[in-house]
Amino acid sequence: MPSASLTRRGPAVALALLIVAVAVGTLVYPTYPNYDSYYSLLWGREALHLHLPTFDVYRAPTEHPLALLFGAALSLLGRNGDCVMILATMASLVVLTMGMYRLGRAAFTPVIGLIAGALLLSRFDFPFLAARAYIDIPYLAFVVWAAALEAERPRRGMPVLILLLLASLMRPEAWLMAGFYVLWIAWRAPWSDRLRYAAIAAAGPLIWVAVDTIVTGHPLFSLTHTNGLAEELGRNQGLSQVPSATWEFLKSLDKLPVLLAAAVGLLMAIWLTPRRAIVPAFLLVLGLATFFMVGVAGLSIINRYLLVPSLMIMIFAAVALGGWSMLRPGVVQWLWAGAALAGVLGGVLYTTSHLKSNVFTENLKFRGDSHRALAHLLDGPKVRSALRCGPLSVPNHKLIPEARWILKAGKNRVLARSNPQTFKHTHRGVAVFTVNRTAFVIQQLADPTVPQKIVKRELSPQAGFTRIATNGYYSAYARC
């Protein structure tokens, strides 16, 4: 089998092709950050100006300390900071893919690593998260590289802990990873090292609590705010929904053929090389257990909390497809490789028959075009002049951070008409509405949690407002 050739040249060629593909895709479909990431930029800008970040505004997402720090650094670049955030996240996707290869190679073989990286890139959810600057991509890169380093040299210690510390400042699920890792490496270490390891593992939650305390006065603000927002948005489905949600989310993230291949690959890995399967198997089990605990805590039940186990499923699916590279040359190896090739062809046929090829590209195009349309509208001289009469109002929370970033506006200058507490302040100023069908569905269509009497505020201008600007996506009405 050509495993030696793949080992020597495959990774370098694959990395070069990946970098070119990411660069071309970023140029062809320039996009902008998502809702949560824009808030990281806004909070970073507020901190840079020595103001306390406004964590408690209407339907704000949960803060993440490392994202806040990164947002502050990007704010130094002015309004173009959001584009740099996209570039950084796309670079993180490349690093994550390299980490998948490294983990697959360290735990099993280079061939399995290459297949795992290819599976990641073929799951469109992950490139799409990167194209919208979701924090999940750099978080996953830290976690996967920590796992790869540990798989290469068990009980590696500080390099793994540092990566998990960075991850724990982006998602609290990494607190458990860091805690379990300290238990794993500390029992053979001297007391001085044990204390040092424990301090690093504890730094993530302590820094998070410190930031919450300084900004809001409440040490557990992020937890209580996330819980309350999940209830408000109807995302806390309850413990009874966790099993079905787990299956549906994993099926959506990995797709059914990969899930089935992973089940086979997990059994093969345990049978052939049980010790080498420890790291990815542990992350798979811990990720599923964490998702279960999220349901118990009443937090949002969303597929992004299953991203780590979904990556480990790809690793084990790669074992099923490339496990022949762990065998000595012979008939069994050839039969396994032939069966794997047939499985790949079947998976490709399944994917192509279920894939709507235009959905991904059209979504990316919309994200870029709609942002530029909103910026063009808000930069218009009539809109800027009318904003002297009052705040900018948008249908609901979805456009608030993007509009604030464009206008360099504070929290009281961009308001949601769906918010009963601030609606009284929107009788003057500028009101923005969507005129594009996709924008209406994604950014203006009211969610079920909004009372019907408020929906009318989102959909039509109030009396006395006249239209002053419009384009293919948005229109602006003003009243002075």
Side-chain angles (χ1 to χ4, degrees), residues 375-392 407 429-432 466-470 475-480:
H376 185 265
L377 186 85
L378 298 181
D379 286 336
K382 291 184 179 180
V383 172
R384 292 282 179 162
S385 177
L387 285 173
R388 300 191 188 102
C389 304
L392 176 77
L407 294 173
V430 177
V432 169
T466 56
R467 192 171 69 179
I468 58 172
T470 188
S475 62
Y477 292 74
R479 179 187 180 190
C480 285

Side-chain angles (χ1 to χ4, degrees), residues 109-412:
T109 68
V111 173
I112 291 174
L114 285 171
I115 295 173
L119 285 174
L120 167 66
L121 295 174
S122 65
R123 309 302 94 182
F124 285 159
D125 287 288
F126 292 87
F128 185 71
L129 288 175
R132 297 285 288 137
Y134 275 90
I135 196 175
D136 306 86
I137 298 300
Y139 164 73
L140 291 172
F142 286 132
V143 170
V144 168
W145 270 97
L149 294 181
E150 177 63 18
E152 287 178 347
R153 198 173 78 202
R155 293 188 173 87
R156 193 159 190 160
M158 291 301 294
V160 176
L161 264 182
I162 294 299
L163 289 173
L164 291 179
L165 169 61
L166 294 172
S168 70
L169 295 174
M170 305 175 82
R171 281 212 174 279
E173 301 98 292
W175 300 354
L176 286 175
M177 298 178 195
F180 278 114
Y181 187 66
V182 168
L183 294 177
W184 168 243
I185 63 176
W187 67 283
R188 287 186 176 181
W191 273 104
S192 58
D193 288 342
R194 292 179 183 180
L195 294 175
R196 189 156 48 98
Y197 296 153
I200 293 175
L206 289 177
I207 291 173
W208 210 305
V209 167
V211 171
D212 280 352
T213 303
I214 293 170
V215 174
T216 69
H218 301 289
L220 300 180
F221 173 80
S222 290
L223 176 63
T224 56
H225 175 73
T226 303
N227 199 334
L229 187 60
E231 183 176 353
E232 184 179 353
L233 296 176
R235 294 177 178 170
N236 55 342
Q237 300 177 27
L239 183 58
S240 62
Q241 300 298 316
V242 171
S244 59
T246 301
W247 171 251
E248 291 300 325
F249 288 159
L250 288 177
K251 190 167 65 172
S252 172
L253 290 168
D254 289 306
K255 305 302 181 284
L256 185 60
V258 174
L259 283 175
L260 297 177
V264 175
L266 178 60
L267 294 176
M268 289 178 171
I270 294 174
W271 177 42
L272 292 174
T273 56
R275 293 178 64 87
R276 295 163 69 181
I278 288 176
V279 172
F282 175 78
L283 284 179
L284 174 61
V285 173
L286 183 61
L288 294 174
T290 302
F291 188 71
F292 175 82
M293 288 185 283
V294 166
V296 172
L299 304 178
S300 296
I301 300 296
I302 56 177
N303 64 0
R304 288 162 56 201
Y305 292 150
L306 281 171
L307 290 178
V308 170
S310 74
L311 292 182
M312 297 306 106
I313 284 172
M314 294 177 205
I315 294 288
F316 287 113
V319 172
L321 297 174
W324 51 264
S325 59
M326 296 189 290
L327 303 178
R328 294 177 180 178
V331 175
V332 175
Q333 187 186 59
W334 281 99
L335 289 175
W336 189 338
L341 179 60
V344 170
L345 294 176
V348 170
L349 291 175
Y350 176 90
T351 301
T352 53
S353 64
H354 289 76
L355 177 66
K356 297 179 180 178
S357 58
N358 61 330
V359 172
F360 183 66
T361 55
E362 286 182 359
N363 215 323
L364 288 180
K365 187 176 185 300
F366 166 77
R367 299 294 180 177
D369 291 347
S370 64
H371 175 87
R372 288 186 288 273
L374 181 63
H376 185 265
L377 186 85
L378 298 181
D379 286 336
K382 291 184 179 180
V383 172
R384 292 282 179 162
S385 177
L387 285 173
R388 300 191 188 102
C389 304
L392 176 77
S393 71
V394 292
N396 47 48
H397 63 286
K398 297 176 183 178
L399 284 174
I400 288 179
E402 198 168 346
R404 283 184 58 188
W405 179 254
I406 294 170
L407 294 173
K408 298 182 179 179
K411 66 175 184 178
N412 295 323

